[in-house]
């Protein structure tokens, strides 16, 4: 038998069943790896300035108190300026990771609104996730230092404010309307190029309708004390604004409400309510006052009044002091820039015809309208500009100063008083004083003599009063009055003296009645007491003739 035939007859080797077990194990392991990987969520990177309270493998990521991820690794950035946190999210959280998603650390905080995050004292800090509404996916986020004021899709209005650096407004500060909190400051950033602060405000619904095109915003400083030409004023805000400040808004008086504000509208943040009200008058006429009096006490912002009604404001004191002045006026006057604001007269937001107002004021200048400085507060010496008509005003010719029209002026109240005092002193100087002084000396001599006599009389009176007998006089008078009182008591209606006097008067009356016939007889015959009385015949009746 050949070798080839033997080879054909040799049985072929088959795969041993023992290999099925490791193959199944490999397949199960691959399936488990695939299943585990398929259940893993996306990995994200969080950037923080400080990783305080964050621990790898322990710190959780939550949204609405539901766990959606866990921190896996905490490390420093390559430039050592930040902490980089690698976190593994759950699969259901993948749709939450978009461009406007926000993260912040929840831990115990003490702020203006009270204490928050006390539940993390025992459980430890965790990272809060606030889902966004953007369709753009994102895997690297900056962790916020403070919780956001509201979700990006929250109902309400978001606007922008521009302010100077001095207006200290921070993220989280309240936004108030008539003392009621209606929103919060979401963000505050400084623009170094324009040197101004930019604030982002959120006004919650339904209070967003309060913001209109004519609304003004100002800083709530808590306590605002002011002593100026208007007097002493104190404004106290809410307790929260007293501690940390805030923003207040409203529509100035005598101003139309305007239309509802659009989202992302930009407003100016004023320092206080008065500045906000003044800022609403954006159409004005500029004039220059060339004042011959002192301007001490006149400050920018002082009112310009016409018979007690404010119609403008002082802008600059002095204004281009070194600029050449018109030859027709004093070359040493103090220039003061003022604004006449016609919007104070009309409650309108329409464009004002400034040329018509200039022409109207020119006609009023011809009728004697003049400006002067008057004291608004004697305690502080603050001045204001008063406009009024002068009956004997000098004629005024139209002129300009630094490309602005000149408003005619007259001397103020203090200067007028000084002029009157000066005129009075001149009159005193022109009086003939010597005759008046001579008469005055004679009057003084006579007065001295009179006073000497009065002093002598006073000395006599003092001596009389010092006499012991004078001192005993009141006692003697009192004793006499008591005796007179006792005597009068003896003639009381119920006393014996009164009864005897009454009986005596009765006897006297009876005696007078008995004496009447004797008296008639003596009247008829005076010698009846010596001679007998002649008998009289009875009268005979006679008839009347």
């Amino acid at each position: 038998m050949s070798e080839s035939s033997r080879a054909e007859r040799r049985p072929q080797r088959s795969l041993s069943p023992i290999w099925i077990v490791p193959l199944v194990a490999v397949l199960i392991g691959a399936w488990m790896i695939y299943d585990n990987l398929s259940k893993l969520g996306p990995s994200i990177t969080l950037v923080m300035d400080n990783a305080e309270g964050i621990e790898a493998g322990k710190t959780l990521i939550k949204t609405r108190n539901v766990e959606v991820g866990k921190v896996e690794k905490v490390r420093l950035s390559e430039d050592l300026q930040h902490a980089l946190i690698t976190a593994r999210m759950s699969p259901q959280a993948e749709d939450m990771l978009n461009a406007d998603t926000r993260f912040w650390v929840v831990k115990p905080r003490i702020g203006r609104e009270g204490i928050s995050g006390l539940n993390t004292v025992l459980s430890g800090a965790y990272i809060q996730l606030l889902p966004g509404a953007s369709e753009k996916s994102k895997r690297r986020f900056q962790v916020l230092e403070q919780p956001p004021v509201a979700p990006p899709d929250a109902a309400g209005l978001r606007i922008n404010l521009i302010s100077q650096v001095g207006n200290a407004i921070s993220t989280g500060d309240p936004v108030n309307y008539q003392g009621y909190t209606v929103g919060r400051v979401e963000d505050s950033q400084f623009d170094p190029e324009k040197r101004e602060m930019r604030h982002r405000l959120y006004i919650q619904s339904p209070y967003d309708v309060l913001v209109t095109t004519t609304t003004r915003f100002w800083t709530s400083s808590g306590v605002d004390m002011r002593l100026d030409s208007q007097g002493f004023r104190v404004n106290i805000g809410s307790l929260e604004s007293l501690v940390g400040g805030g923003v207040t808004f409203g529509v100035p008086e005598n101003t139309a409400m305007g239309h509802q504000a659009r989202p992302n509208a930009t407003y100016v943040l004023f320092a206080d309510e008065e500045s906000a009200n003044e800022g609403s008058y954006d159409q004005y006429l500029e004039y220059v006052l060339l004042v011959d009096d002192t301007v001490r006490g006149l400050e920018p912002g002082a009112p310009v009044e016409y018979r007690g009604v404010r119609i403008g404001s002082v802008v600059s004191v002095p204004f281009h002091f070194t600029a050449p002045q018109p030859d027709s006026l004093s070359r040493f006057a103090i220039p003061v820039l003022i604004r006449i604001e016609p919007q104070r007269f009309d409650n309108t937001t329409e464009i004002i015809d400034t040329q018509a107002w200039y022409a109207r004021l020119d006609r009023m200048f011809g009728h004697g309208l003049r400006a002067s400085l008057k004291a608004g507060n004697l305690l502080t010496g603050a001045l204001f500009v008063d406009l009024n008509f002068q009956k004997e005003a000098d004629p005024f010719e139209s002129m300009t100063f630094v490309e602005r029209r000149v408003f005619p002026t007259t001397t103020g109240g203090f200067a007028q008083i000084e002029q009157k005092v000066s005129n009075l002193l001149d009159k005193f100087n022109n009086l003939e004083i010597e005759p008046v002084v001579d008469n005055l000396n004679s009057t003084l001599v006579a007065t001295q003599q009179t006073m000497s006599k009065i002093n002598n009389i006073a000395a006599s009176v003092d001596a009389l009063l010092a006499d012991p007998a004078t001192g005993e006089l009141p006692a003697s008078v009192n004793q006499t009055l008591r005796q007179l009182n006792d005597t009068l008591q003896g003639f009381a209606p119920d006393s014996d003296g009164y009864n005897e006097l009454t009986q005596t008067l009765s006897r006297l009356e009876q005696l007078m009645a008995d004496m009447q016939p004797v008296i008639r007889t003596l009247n008829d015959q005076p010698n009846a007491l010596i001679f007998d009385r002649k008998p009289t015949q009875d009268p005979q009746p006679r008839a009347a003739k």
Side-chain angles (χ1 to χ4, degrees):
M1 184 178 293
S2 63
E3 294 293 334
S4 59
S5 59
R6 292 179 179 178
E8 291 176 358
R9 293 179 179 178
R10 188 182 299 172
Q12 296 181 354
R13 296 181 179 180
S14 60
L15 183 63
S16 175
I18 195 65
W19 292 103
I20 298 176
V21 175
L23 181 60
V24 172
V26 170
L27 293 175
I28 293 175
W31 180 82
M32 292 179 65
I33 293 173
Y34 171 77
D35 183 69
N36 189 24
L37 293 176
S38 63
K39 292 182 178 180
L40 287 177
S43 177
I44 63 173
T45 301
L46 303 178
V47 182
M48 300 179 62
D49 293 335
N50 190 349
E52 179 183 2
I54 306 300
E55 298 182 13
K58 292 184 178 181
T59 303
L60 302 178
I61 300 177
K62 297 181 180 181
T63 180
R64 299 185 182 275
N65 208 25
V66 177
E67 181 182 346
V68 293
K70 181 183 290 187
V71 174
E72 292 183 339
K73 185 187 298 185
V74 180
R75 68 183 189 278
L76 288 173
S77 61
E78 294 182 359
D79 57 0
L80 305 180
Q81 299 296 321
H82 305 283
L84 300 180
I85 299 174
T86 302
R88 177 67 63 178
M89 306 298 294
S90 60
Q92 63 268 23
E94 186 172 2
D95 295 337
M96 305 178 187
L97 305 175
N98 43 45
D100 53 356
T101 299
R102 301 180 183 181
F103 292 85
W104 69 92
V105 178
V106 178
K107 56 184 178 181
R109 300 177 186 271
I110 299 178
R112 302 184 184 95
E113 298 180 345
I115 302 176
S116 61
L118 289 179
N119 59 333
T120 62
V121 173
L122 300 177
S123 62
Y126 65 90
I127 299 176
Q128 182 73 28
L129 181 149
L130 180 63
S134 176
E135 297 180 356
K136 184 178 180 181
S137 180
K138 190 176 181 180
R139 292 295 183 268
R140 187 181 178 93
F141 301 92
Q142 179 73 36
V143 179
L144 303 177
E145 296 182 0
Q146 297 289 337
V149 174
D153 57 346
L157 176 67
R158 285 178 168 84
I159 58 175
N160 301 313
L161 293 184
I162 299 176
S163 70
Q164 300 300 322
V165 182
N167 294 329
I169 302 298
S170 303
T171 302
D173 286 346
V175 179
N176 301 321
Y177 179 80
Q178 296 184 355
Y180 185 75
T181 301
V182 298
R184 293 282 171 180
V185 178
E186 283 191 327
D187 187 26
S188 295
Q189 295 181 356
F190 175 64
D191 188 350
E193 295 182 357
K194 297 183 179 181
R195 298 182 180 181
E196 61 186 16
M197 289 293 298
R198 295 183 177 273
H199 310 283
R200 180 78 169 174
L201 269 60
Y202 166 70
I203 311 297
Q204 61 190 18
S205 180
Y207 308 111
D208 52 343
V209 297
L210 300 175
V211 183
T212 64
T213 54
T214 57
T215 299
R216 296 293 179 266
F217 292 82
W218 63 88
T219 303
S220 301
S221 58
V223 178
D224 181 18
M225 293 186 296
R226 184 170 302 176
L227 183 63
D228 53 15
S229 60
Q230 304 297 323
F232 180 72
R233 292 170 290 173
V234 178
N235 295 324
I236 301 178
S238 62
L239 180 60
E240 187 175 1
S241 62
L242 183 64
V243 175
V247 177
T248 303
F249 68 92
V251 177
E253 297 182 0
N254 301 325
T255 303
M257 290 299 296
H259 304 287
Q260 187 173 355
R262 296 181 179 180
N264 299 320
T266 301
Y267 294 86
V268 176
L269 179 62
F270 295 92
D272 49 40
E273 183 177 3
E274 183 177 1
S275 300
N277 292 334
E278 296 300 325
S280 61
Y281 306 117
D282 53 357
Q283 302 183 57
Y284 47 82
L285 288 74
E286 289 189 335
Y287 281 95
V288 174
L289 306 179
L290 297 177
V291 182
D292 292 326
D293 302 332
T294 177
V295 295
R296 183 180 181 86
L298 184 65
E299 300 291 339
V304 177
E305 298 182 357
Y306 172 73
R307 296 182 177 178
V309 179
R310 182 163 185 172
I311 63 173
S313 305
V314 176
V315 180
S316 178
V317 182
F319 176 70
H320 291 282
F321 183 72
T322 59
Q325 299 185 10
D327 296 335
S328 60
L329 298 177
S330 174
R331 292 180 176 270
F332 303 100
I334 306 297
V336 177
L337 180 63
I338 66 170
R339 288 178 179 175
I340 305 298
E341 298 157 342
Q343 289 174 310
R344 294 180 181 271
F345 300 97
D346 301 326
N347 183 13
T348 179
T349 57
E350 300 179 356
I351 298 177
I352 296 176
D353 189 354
T354 57
Q355 296 301 323
W357 274 94
Y358 277 122
R360 181 182 302 176
L361 289 175
D362 287 340
R363 292 192 299 269
M364 297 174 73
F365 296 159
H367 290 84
L369 181 64
R370 298 294 184 267
S372 62
L373 301 185
K374 289 189 177 181
N377 192 316
L378 296 178
L379 181 61
T380 62
L383 302 178
F384 70 96
V385 178
D386 180 65
L387 307 183
N388 210 334
F389 288 92
Q390 304 292 334
K391 295 182 179 179
E392 298 179 356
D394 296 333
F396 176 76
E397 297 181 0
S398 179
M399 61 187 69
T400 60
F401 177 84
V402 192
E403 299 181 355
R404 289 169 176 82
R405 302 190 183 192
V406 174
F407 200 106
T409 60
T410 185
T411 55
F414 287 111
Q416 293 177 0
I417 294 175
E418 182 181 0
Q419 183 66 30
K420 291 180 180 179
V421 171
S422 178
N423 295 335
L424 182 61
L425 293 177
D426 292 338
K427 291 181 180 180
F428 274 119
N429 291 330
N430 295 329
L431 291 176
E432 295 182 359
I433 303 299
E434 293 182 359
V436 177
V437 172
D438 294 337
N439 293 333
L440 183 60
N441 291 332
S442 301
T443 304
L444 289 176
V445 171
T447 303
Q448 290 177 354
Q449 294 176 354
T450 304
M451 292 301 297
S452 178
K453 294 180 180 179
I454 292 175
N455 291 333
N456 294 332
I457 296 173
S460 300
V461 172
D462 290 339
L464 179 62
L465 294 176
D467 190 358
T470 305
E472 296 176 356
L473 182 62
S476 300
V477 172
N478 291 332
Q479 185 177 0
T480 303
L481 291 176
R482 284 194 298 269
Q483 293 175 357
L484 180 61
N485 188 23
D486 295 338
T487 302
L488 294 177
Q489 289 293 333
F491 293 94
D494 296 334
S495 63
D496 295 338
Y498 180 80
N499 294 330
E500 292 179 359
L501 180 62
T502 302
Q503 293 176 3
T504 302
L505 292 175
S506 300
R507 294 190 190 101
L508 181 60
E509 184 179 0
Q510 183 65 32
L511 179 61
M512 292 300 296
D514 294 339
M515 289 293 293
Q516 286 182 1
V518 177
I519 294 173
R520 285 196 298 271
T521 300
L522 292 176
N523 287 331
D524 296 337
Q525 187 179 352
N527 58 355
L529 293 177
I530 300 174
F531 300 100
D532 293 335
R533 182 179 180 183
K534 294 179 179 181
T536 57
Q537 296 180 356
D538 294 334
Q540 294 181 0
R542 295 178 181 180
K545 293 181 180 181

